[in-house]
Amino acid sequence: MAITKITNLEFGKMVQAAAAKLNQNAEFINSLNVFPVPDGDTGTNMSMSMASGAKYEREDTSENVGDLANSLAKGLLMGARGNSGVILSQIFRGFAGGCKGKKDLSAQEFVDAYANGAQTAYKAVMKPTEGTILTVVRESAQAGIDTVKTTNDIEKILEEICSAADQALQKTPDLLPVLKEVGVVDSGGQGLDYVLHAFLEALTGKVTVETKPDNAQMNEMINAKHHQSSQGKLDPADIKYGYCTQIMVRIGRGKQVTQKFDYDTFYNYLAKLGDSLLVINDDEIVKVHVHTEHPGKVLSWGQQFGDLQTVKVDNMRWQQEQIMDEDEPSVAENADADGEKEAPGTAVIAVAAGQGISELLKSLGVTHIISGGQTMNPSIQDIADAINNSGAKQALVLPDNGNIFMAADQAKDIAEIPTAVVHTKTIPQAMTALLEFNPDSTLDENHTAMEDALDTVKSGAVTTAVRDTTVNGITIKKDDYIGIVDGDIVTTDSDLATTAEAMVKKMLDEDSSVVTIYYGEDGNQDQADQLQRAIEEMDDELDVQVYEGDQPVYPYLISVE
C-alpha cells in the first residue's frame, strides 16, 4: 500500500534511525577524510550533531511534524560540530522551514521541504564546492522534485532520492580532484547518504528497535568525555557562590504564575543572586544557569513565570573537594570560573588541545580555552556557552582549525554579547594574531588587526599517515611521517626528524627570521632540541625557539615568520 503522508510517529522513527545509522557508521565516514592523517572526524561530527538533533526531537511531545522538525533543527544547530555538522544543521533548518505549521507531510510537502533544505545549505556556504555534501543534497532533492510529479507514494519518492544520492556520491571524485587522487568519495556526502537511507528504512519498517539509540546513549554521544567540566585546583573555600543552579521554566504554565515573562525583568533579578548567569528563552521555555548561594530563590523566581520542567542544583564546594587532585581542562576553561577575579572587558576565546599550548595561548592574552581541535571539534553550543559565560562585554573567538569556522560563525550569531571570529586555521596563526590584540582597542579594531596578521606566518605540522596513498604526486605509506604546510602535504619519510627538517626547509625563504617548534605528547624535549640545532645549521641567523605543547596527533607544530 502506498505511503502518502508522514505523521509525527513516522517522522520520529526516521530521525532516530538516522541518528543510529550515523553513530554506527561514524568510523567508516571518518576513514573517508581526504588527507591520510589521523584527524578524520567528519563521521564523529555528523553523528554527534545528529544525536543532538534527535534528542531534541525525541523530547518534543508535539503531534505536529512541523514542530518536531523545528526541534530537530534546533538540536542540530546547537549540537553542530565541524563544517559537515553545520551544513547538516542547515539542511534541516531549511527542511523545518518548509514544514512550518504542518501536522503531517504529504508527498509534495516532504519534497518541497527537502528541496528547501538543499537551498538553505547552499546559501549557508560562502563558496559552495561541488563534489561535496552539497552536490549530494542538491541532486537528491532534484530527484524528489522530478519523482513527485508522477506519484504521491513517499516510499517510491524516497527510493529515488536515495538512488540519486548514491549516484551523486559516487560522482564526487569526478568533481573534486583531490578525492579522485586519494580514491575516496566525499565523507560529508556519505554521511548524508546514510541519513537518507535511514529515513527510507524507517519509513518502510526495516529498522528494528535495537538499532535505535536510547536517551542514555544519546546523552553519552553528546556529552563526550572532553566536554565534562572541571573546577581545576580551586580551594573550595574560595568559591564565592557555591550552588550551580539550573532550571527550565515552561512560560505561562502552572498554578503559581504571577508575572508575564519579560526577559530584562527576569534576568535582572537573577543577576543579583550570583554570577555565571545564562538565560536563554524562546516563546515557550526559558533556561537558566546561575551560580548562587540561594538556589531556593532561583526556583521561586522561576515559578512566578511558569512551572518548573527541570531542576538541577549542584554543590560546587562539595564537588571541588572530590576533585582536588584532578586538573582536567573543561570545555570552555574559565567559562564557569567562580571567585573574585574581575571579568575581562573582551573575552579572548581559543580552541586548543594540549596543556602546553593552552598555557602559551593564555600567556598571550587568551582568557578562555575550549578544549578541542582535530578529531574533536567543539559544537556551536560549546562555543556559544563559552562566549555567554565569559562575563565579558564582548568576545573574540579563535577557532584555530578551518573545520571549526562555520560553527564559530554560527555561535557568533546567537551569542548574547558582540562577538567577532578571527579565522585562525592553526595554532601558530593564533599565536601571531594574539600579538596584535590590544585590550584598549575596539572589537572591530582588534578583529581587523588580528585577521591582517594571519598571512605573516607559515604553519607546519608533522603527523603519521593512516593509509597508503598518493597526494600532490607524493607517494605516502601507512605509518610513515608526513609534513603538512598550510594544509598541503609537502614531504614524507619513515623518520620523524628527517620529515620535520625537510618540511622546515620548504617553509623557509629569504625573509624568514623566526622558527618556533611546539612538540606534542608524542614528541620530547631531546628530539625538539636536536631539531632546533638542525634548523640553526640551515641558517645561523634564524631565531629558533622550542616550547612544550603537549598537543595530540602532531609530534610537531612548527611556525615560520
Side-chain angles (χ1 to χ4, degrees):
M1 186 172 69
I3 301 173
T4 58
K5 71 176 180 179
I6 297 174
T7 69
N8 63 311
L9 296 178
E10 281 86 18
F11 185 74
K13 291 176 182 177
M14 291 162 68
V15 171
Q16 304 307 316
K21 202 170 190 75
L22 282 176
N23 183 42
Q24 293 162 358
N25 293 281
E27 286 305 314
F28 173 69
I29 299 171
N30 285 343
S31 73
L32 298 176
N33 278 79
V34 170
F35 278 171
V37 297
D39 62 358
D41 52 9
T42 299
T44 302
N45 286 336
M46 295 187 78
S47 174
M48 296 181 75
S49 300
M50 195 69 190
S52 177
K55 184 173 184 290
Y56 273 61
E57 186 277 333
R58 176 175 285 195
E59 292 175 349
D60 191 331
T61 59
S62 174
E63 295 183 356
N64 294 333
V65 172
D67 295 338
L68 297 178
N70 187 62
S71 291
L72 169 64
K74 186 174 183 179
L76 267 165
L77 177 64
M78 301 314 292
R81 304 169 190 274
N83 292 342
S84 57
V86 174
I87 293 173
L88 188 66
S89 77
Q90 295 305 300
I91 291 172
F92 284 100
R93 182 171 74 87
F95 183 91
C99 297
K100 188 174 182 179
K102 294 180 170 59
K103 180 175 176 59
D104 304 318
L105 293 183
S106 67
Q108 186 66 59
E109 289 168 339
F110 173 75
V111 167
D112 289 345
Y114 185 53
N116 193 54
Q119 293 174 2
T120 301
Y122 265 85
K123 291 177 182 177
V125 180
M126 186 173 297
K127 295 180 180 179
T129 301
E130 295 300 333
T132 65
I133 185 175
L134 294 176
T135 301
V136 177
V137 70
R138 176 177 54 78
E139 296 198 3
S140 58
Q142 186 60 51
I145 293 170
D146 294 340
T147 307
V148 78
K149 295 176 182 178
T150 59
T151 180
N152 65 350
D153 186 341
I154 300 176
E155 179 180 351
K156 292 182 178 179
I157 292 168
L158 257 176
E159 287 175 347
E160 292 303 316
I161 287 175
C162 288
S163 177
D166 294 342
Q167 294 175 36
L169 180 64
Q170 294 307 314
K171 193 169 62 177
T172 55
D174 296 325
L175 299 173
L176 205 56
V178 68
L179 296 177
K180 176 170 282 190
E181 186 176 17
V182 179
V184 295
V185 297
D186 179 66
S187 54
Q190 179 68 78
L192 178 61
D193 192 61
Y194 278 132
V195 169
L196 295 172
H197 278 277
F199 280 2
L200 177 60
E201 291 166 4
L203 192 65
T204 56
K206 295 179 181 178
V207 176
T208 61
V209 174
E210 287 74 23
T211 66
K212 299 179 184 178
D214 58 22
N215 279 323
Q217 290 171 313
M218 284 191 173
N219 284 330
E220 184 177 353
M221 285 189 283
I222 295 166
N223 300 313
K225 181 178 179 180
H226 84 294
H227 291 134
Q228 296 171 351
S229 62
S230 165
Q231 294 290 333
K233 293 186 177 180
L234 283 173
D235 185 333
D238 291 336
I239 298 178
K240 184 176 181 181
Y241 298 106
Y243 296 93
C244 176
T245 305
Q246 301 178 58
I247 63 173
M248 184 186 298
V249 180
R250 297 196 302 170
I251 298 172
R253 301 189 184 187
K255 297 181 179 180
Q256 300 185 46
V257 176
T258 59
Q259 298 198 51
K260 184 177 180 180
F261 182 78
D262 174 76
Y263 183 92
D264 291 338
T265 301
F266 189 84
Y267 183 98
N268 291 338
Y269 176 85
L270 294 173
K272 299 175 183 178
L273 295 181
D275 63 10
S276 297
L277 175 62
L278 175 63
V279 177
I280 301 175
N281 74 286
D282 57 22
D283 293 337
E284 298 177 353
I285 64 170
V286 56
K287 293 183 178 181
V288 174
H289 169 282
V290 63
H291 292 175
T292 181
E293 284 294 282
H294 306 285
K297 291 184 178 180
V298 176
L299 272 62
S300 297
W301 180 247
Q303 285 183 293
Q304 294 184 40
F305 297 87
D307 61 12
L308 302 179
Q309 182 171 333
T310 60
V311 174
K312 186 172 185 288
V313 180
D314 294 316
N315 183 331
M316 294 188 295
R317 296 189 183 96
W318 178 82
Q319 289 177 332
Q320 186 57 26
E321 292 169 3
Q322 308 304 306
I323 59 173
M324 282 292 290
D325 295 331
E326 299 179 9
D327 190 22
E328 295 294 328
S330 67
V331 173
E333 192 172 303
N334 296 328
D336 268 346
D338 293 294
E340 303 287 348
K341 188 176 180 180
E342 183 178 353
T346 300
V348 183
I349 301 166
V351 180
Q355 186 64 29
I357 293 294
S358 297
E359 292 303 323
L360 285 167
L361 290 170
K362 289 180 184 177
S363 72
L364 292 173
V366 167
T367 59
H368 301 75
I369 296 291
I370 300 177
S371 179
Q374 293 288 36
T375 73
M376 187 55 73
N377 299 154
S379 69
I380 294 173
Q381 182 77 69
D382 293 335
I383 301 171
D385 284 349
I387 297 168
N388 295 333
N389 292 340
S390 67
K393 297 179 180 178
Q394 55 191 18
L396 288 161
V397 177
L398 284 68
D400 302 340
N401 186 308
N403 201 37
I404 304 175
F405 284 3
M406 292 185 73
D409 287 333
Q410 290 284 330
K412 174 196 69 175
D413 292 341
I414 64 174
E416 297 172 355
I417 58 176
T419 301
V421 178
V422 182
H423 292 89
T424 50
K425 292 182 178 179
T426 64
I427 293 297
Q429 280 193 340
M431 301 286 187
T432 298
L434 287 166
L435 296 176
E436 301 299 320
F437 174 69
N438 182 349
D440 295 324
S441 296
T442 67
L443 184 67
D444 287 343
E445 289 171 343
N446 273 318
H447 179 248
T448 299
M450 295 169 79
E451 285 272 358
D452 288 346
L454 300 183
D455 292 334
T456 66
V457 61
K458 297 177 183 177
S459 301
V462 177
T463 190
T464 307
V466 296
R467 68 163 73 96
D468 292 342
T469 189
T470 300
V471 177
N472 296 332
I474 300 173
T475 300
I476 299 168
K477 295 181 180 179
K478 184 178 182 293
D479 296 328
D480 276 0
Y481 292 99
I482 51 179
I484 307 170
V485 177
D486 291 325
D488 292 326
I489 296 176
V490 298
T491 187
T492 183
D493 196 90
S494 59
D495 180 69
L496 174 60
T498 300
T499 304
E501 290 172 26
M503 182 186 74
V504 172
K505 285 181 180 178
K506 292 182 179 294
M507 297 172 70
L508 296 174
D509 59 34
E510 60 183 12
D511 296 323
S512 301
S513 59
V514 179
V515 178
T516 307
I517 302 167
Y518 308 94
Y519 64 90
E521 61 185 15
D522 294 329
N524 60 61
Q525 181 75 53
D526 290 342
Q527 291 176 336
D529 290 343
Q530 292 175 17
L531 178 59
Q532 178 185 23
R533 291 191 289 271
I535 295 172
E536 289 172 342
E537 290 177 2
M538 297 178 195
D539 185 344
D540 58 13
E541 294 186 359
L542 289 172
D543 177 13
V544 184
Q545 304 170 4
V546 176
Y547 295 98
E548 182 178 7
D550 303 311
Q551 70 274 3
V553 181
Y554 300 103
Y556 291 123
L557 296 176
I558 300 175
S559 67
V560 174
E561 300 175 79

PDB file of all heavy atoms in Angstrom, residues 277-293:
ATOM      1  N   LEU A 277      25.786  33.796  35.096  1.00  0.00           N
ATOM      2  CA  LEU A 277      24.376  33.723  34.730  1.00  0.00           C
ATOM      3  C   LEU A 277      24.196  33.569  33.222  1.00  0.00           C
ATOM      4  O   LEU A 277      24.800  34.295  32.433  1.00  0.00           O
ATOM      5  CB  LEU A 277      23.645  34.982  35.200  1.00  0.00           C
ATOM      6  CG  LEU A 277      22.169  35.121  34.797  1.00  0.00           C
ATOM      7  CD1 LEU A 277      21.340  33.994  35.396  1.00  0.00           C
ATOM      8  CD2 LEU A 277      21.633  36.485  35.232  1.00  0.00           C
ATOM      9  N   LEU A 278      23.366  32.613  32.842  1.00  0.00           N
ATOM     10  CA  LEU A 278      22.988  32.421  31.447  1.00  0.00           C
ATOM     11  C   LEU A 278      21.478  32.224  31.404  1.00  0.00           C
ATOM     12  O   LEU A 278      20.930  31.356  32.079  1.00  0.00           O
ATOM     13  CB  LEU A 278      23.683  31.192  30.850  1.00  0.00           C
ATOM     14  CG  LEU A 278      23.293  30.801  29.420  1.00  0.00           C
ATOM     15  CD1 LEU A 278      23.668  31.905  28.447  1.00  0.00           C
ATOM     16  CD2 LEU A 278      23.960  29.498  29.021  1.00  0.00           C
ATOM     17  N   VAL A 279      20.795  33.067  30.623  1.00  0.00           N
ATOM     18  CA  VAL A 279      19.346  32.966  30.464  1.00  0.00           C
ATOM     19  C   VAL A 279      19.042  32.906  28.975  1.00  0.00           C
ATOM     20  O   VAL A 279      19.371  33.831  28.233  1.00  0.00           O
ATOM     21  CB  VAL A 279      18.612  34.164  31.099  1.00  0.00           C
ATOM     22  CG1 VAL A 279      17.113  34.059  30.836  1.00  0.00           C
ATOM     23  CG2 VAL A 279      18.880  34.234  32.594  1.00  0.00           C
ATOM     24  N   ILE A 280      18.443  31.813  28.537  1.00  0.00           N
ATOM     25  CA  ILE A 280      18.085  31.637  27.127  1.00  0.00           C
ATOM     26  C   ILE A 280      16.611  31.275  27.059  1.00  0.00           C
ATOM     27  O   ILE A 280      16.129  30.445  27.824  1.00  0.00           O
ATOM     28  CB  ILE A 280      18.923  30.526  26.477  1.00  0.00           C
ATOM     29  CG1 ILE A 280      20.416  30.848  26.569  1.00  0.00           C
ATOM     30  CG2 ILE A 280      18.528  30.309  25.021  1.00  0.00           C
ATOM     31  CD1 ILE A 280      21.311  29.746  26.065  1.00  0.00           C
ATOM     32  N   ASN A 281      15.894  31.904  26.136  1.00  0.00           N
ATOM     33  CA  ASN A 281      14.461  31.597  26.048  1.00  0.00           C
ATOM     34  C   ASN A 281      13.969  31.621  24.613  1.00  0.00           C
ATOM     35  O   ASN A 281      14.597  32.193  23.718  1.00  0.00           O
ATOM     36  CB  ASN A 281      13.651  32.608  26.865  1.00  0.00           C
ATOM     37  CG  ASN A 281      13.573  33.966  26.190  1.00  0.00           C
ATOM     38  OD1 ASN A 281      14.554  34.713  26.175  1.00  0.00           O
ATOM     39  ND2 ASN A 281      12.418  34.302  25.645  1.00  0.00           N
ATOM     40  N   ASP A 282      12.844  30.946  24.406  1.00  0.00           N
ATOM     41  CA  ASP A 282      12.069  31.119  23.190  1.00  0.00           C
ATOM     42  C   ASP A 282      10.642  31.421  23.634  1.00  0.00           C
ATOM     43  O   ASP A 282      10.437  31.875  24.764  1.00  0.00           O
ATOM     44  CB  ASP A 282      12.158  29.893  22.272  1.00  0.00           C
ATOM     45  CG  ASP A 282      11.722  28.603  22.951  1.00  0.00           C
ATOM     46  OD1 ASP A 282      10.979  28.671  23.941  1.00  0.00           O
ATOM     47  OD2 ASP A 282      12.106  27.518  22.453  1.00  0.00           O
ATOM     48  N   ASP A 283       9.662  31.205  22.787  1.00  0.00           N
ATOM     49  CA  ASP A 283       8.294  31.566  23.161  1.00  0.00           C
ATOM     50  C   ASP A 283       7.701  30.666  24.241  1.00  0.00           C
ATOM     51  O   ASP A 283       6.734  31.036  24.903  1.00  0.00           O
ATOM     52  CB  ASP A 283       7.385  31.526  21.923  1.00  0.00           C
ATOM     53  CG  ASP A 283       7.747  32.609  20.919  1.00  0.00           C
ATOM     54  OD1 ASP A 283       8.362  33.609  21.335  1.00  0.00           O
ATOM     55  OD2 ASP A 283       7.424  32.438  19.730  1.00  0.00           O
ATOM     56  N   GLU A 284       8.292  29.479  24.423  1.00  0.00           N
ATOM     57  CA  GLU A 284       7.672  28.508  25.314  1.00  0.00           C
ATOM     58  C   GLU A 284       8.459  28.230  26.582  1.00  0.00           C
ATOM     59  O   GLU A 284       7.871  27.926  27.622  1.00  0.00           O
ATOM     60  CB  GLU A 284       7.447  27.194  24.560  1.00  0.00           C
ATOM     61  CG  GLU A 284       6.498  27.331  23.372  1.00  0.00           C
ATOM     62  CD  GLU A 284       6.363  26.027  22.609  1.00  0.00           C
ATOM     63  OE1 GLU A 284       7.101  25.076  22.927  1.00  0.00           O
ATOM     64  OE2 GLU A 284       5.517  25.964  21.704  1.00  0.00           O
ATOM     65  N   ILE A 285       9.766  28.274  26.522  1.00  0.00           N
ATOM     66  CA  ILE A 285      10.564  27.929  27.689  1.00  0.00           C
ATOM     67  C   ILE A 285      11.668  28.949  27.914  1.00  0.00           C
ATOM     68  O   ILE A 285      12.065  29.675  26.998  1.00  0.00           O
ATOM     69  CB  ILE A 285      11.196  26.524  27.556  1.00  0.00           C
ATOM     70  CG1 ILE A 285      12.189  26.503  26.374  1.00  0.00           C
ATOM     71  CG2 ILE A 285      10.144  25.451  27.432  1.00  0.00           C
ATOM     72  CD1 ILE A 285      13.028  25.250  26.320  1.00  0.00           C
ATOM     73  N   VAL A 286      12.157  28.988  29.139  1.00  0.00           N
ATOM     74  CA  VAL A 286      13.341  29.775  29.466  1.00  0.00           C
ATOM     75  C   VAL A 286      14.266  28.882  30.288  1.00  0.00           C
ATOM     76  O   VAL A 286      13.831  28.202  31.228  1.00  0.00           O
ATOM     77  CB  VAL A 286      12.987  31.073  30.233  1.00  0.00           C
ATOM     78  CG1 VAL A 286      12.194  30.782  31.490  1.00  0.00           C
ATOM     79  CG2 VAL A 286      14.262  31.855  30.570  1.00  0.00           C
ATOM     80  N   LYS A 287      15.523  28.831  29.876  1.00  0.00           N
ATOM     81  CA  LYS A 287      16.528  28.041  30.584  1.00  0.00           C
ATOM     82  C   LYS A 287      17.447  28.974  31.365  1.00  0.00           C
ATOM     83  O   LYS A 287      17.858  30.025  30.860  1.00  0.00           O
ATOM     84  CB  LYS A 287      17.357  27.215  29.589  1.00  0.00           C
ATOM     85  CG  LYS A 287      16.577  26.132  28.881  1.00  0.00           C
ATOM     86  CD  LYS A 287      17.494  25.314  27.980  1.00  0.00           C
ATOM     87  CE  LYS A 287      16.750  24.193  27.291  1.00  0.00           C
ATOM     88  NZ  LYS A 287      17.640  23.377  26.433  1.00  0.00           N
ATOM     89  N   VAL A 288      17.783  28.563  32.572  1.00  0.00           N
ATOM     90  CA  VAL A 288      18.610  29.382  33.454  1.00  0.00           C
ATOM     91  C   VAL A 288      19.785  28.569  33.968  1.00  0.00           C
ATOM     92  O   VAL A 288      19.630  27.403  34.365  1.00  0.00           O
ATOM     93  CB  VAL A 288      17.796  29.900  34.657  1.00  0.00           C
ATOM     94  CG1 VAL A 288      18.695  30.636  35.646  1.00  0.00           C
ATOM     95  CG2 VAL A 288      16.666  30.792  34.196  1.00  0.00           C
ATOM     96  N   HIS A 289      20.954  29.167  33.952  1.00  0.00           N
ATOM     97  CA  HIS A 289      22.139  28.627  34.619  1.00  0.00           C
ATOM     98  C   HIS A 289      22.724  29.759  35.435  1.00  0.00           C
ATOM     99  O   HIS A 289      22.978  30.850  34.919  1.00  0.00           O
ATOM    100  CB  HIS A 289      23.161  28.147  33.577  1.00  0.00           C
ATOM    101  CG  HIS A 289      24.514  27.827  34.165  1.00  0.00           C
ATOM    102  ND1 HIS A 289      25.426  28.802  34.503  1.00  0.00           N
ATOM    103  CD2 HIS A 289      25.085  26.646  34.493  1.00  0.00           C
ATOM    104  CE1 HIS A 289      26.513  28.232  34.999  1.00  0.00           C
ATOM    105  NE2 HIS A 289      26.321  26.927  34.998  1.00  0.00           N
ATOM    106  N   VAL A 290      22.931  29.537  36.745  1.00  0.00           N
ATOM    107  CA  VAL A 290      23.489  30.583  37.597  1.00  0.00           C
ATOM    108  C   VAL A 290      24.210  29.940  38.770  1.00  0.00           C
ATOM    109  O   VAL A 290      23.812  28.886  39.265  1.00  0.00           O
ATOM    110  CB  VAL A 290      22.378  31.550  38.105  1.00  0.00           C
ATOM    111  CG1 VAL A 290      21.374  30.825  38.981  1.00  0.00           C
ATOM    112  CG2 VAL A 290      22.979  32.753  38.826  1.00  0.00           C
ATOM    113  N   HIS A 291      25.289  30.569  39.199  1.00  0.00           N
ATOM    114  CA  HIS A 291      25.981  30.164  40.418  1.00  0.00           C
ATOM    115  C   HIS A 291      25.529  31.110  41.532  1.00  0.00           C
ATOM    116  O   HIS A 291      25.647  32.338  41.389  1.00  0.00           O
ATOM    117  CB  HIS A 291      27.496  30.244  40.238  1.00  0.00           C
ATOM    118  CG  HIS A 291      28.024  29.232  39.274  1.00  0.00           C
ATOM    119  ND1 HIS A 291      29.342  29.184  38.887  1.00  0.00           N
ATOM    120  CD2 HIS A 291      27.410  28.213  38.618  1.00  0.00           C
ATOM    121  CE1 HIS A 291      29.515  28.187  38.028  1.00  0.00           C
ATOM    122  NE2 HIS A 291      28.351  27.583  37.857  1.00  0.00           N
ATOM    123  N   THR A 292      25.028  30.558  42.606  1.00  0.00           N
ATOM    124  CA  THR A 292      24.378  31.365  43.632  1.00  0.00           C
ATOM    125  C   THR A 292      24.530  30.727  45.001  1.00  0.00           C
ATOM    126  O   THR A 292      24.885  29.541  45.126  1.00  0.00           O
ATOM    127  CB  THR A 292      22.882  31.527  43.300  1.00  0.00           C
ATOM    128  OG1 THR A 292      22.260  32.340  44.287  1.00  0.00           O
ATOM    129  CG2 THR A 292      22.182  30.175  43.246  1.00  0.00           C
ATOM    130  N   GLU A 293      24.250  31.498  46.040  1.00  0.00           N
ATOM    131  CA  GLU A 293      24.154  30.963  47.396  1.00  0.00           C
ATOM    132  C   GLU A 293      22.711  30.668  47.764  1.00  0.00           C
ATOM    133  O   GLU A 293      22.439  30.122  48.842  1.00  0.00           O
ATOM    134  CB  GLU A 293      24.740  31.969  48.406  1.00  0.00           C
ATOM    135  CG  GLU A 293      26.258  32.014  48.415  1.00  0.00           C
ATOM    136  CD  GLU A 293      26.861  30.707  48.913  1.00  0.00           C
ATOM    137  OE1 GLU A 293      26.876  30.482  50.143  1.00  0.00           O
ATOM    138  OE2 GLU A 293      27.298  29.895  48.070  1.00  0.00           O
TER     139      GLU A 293
END
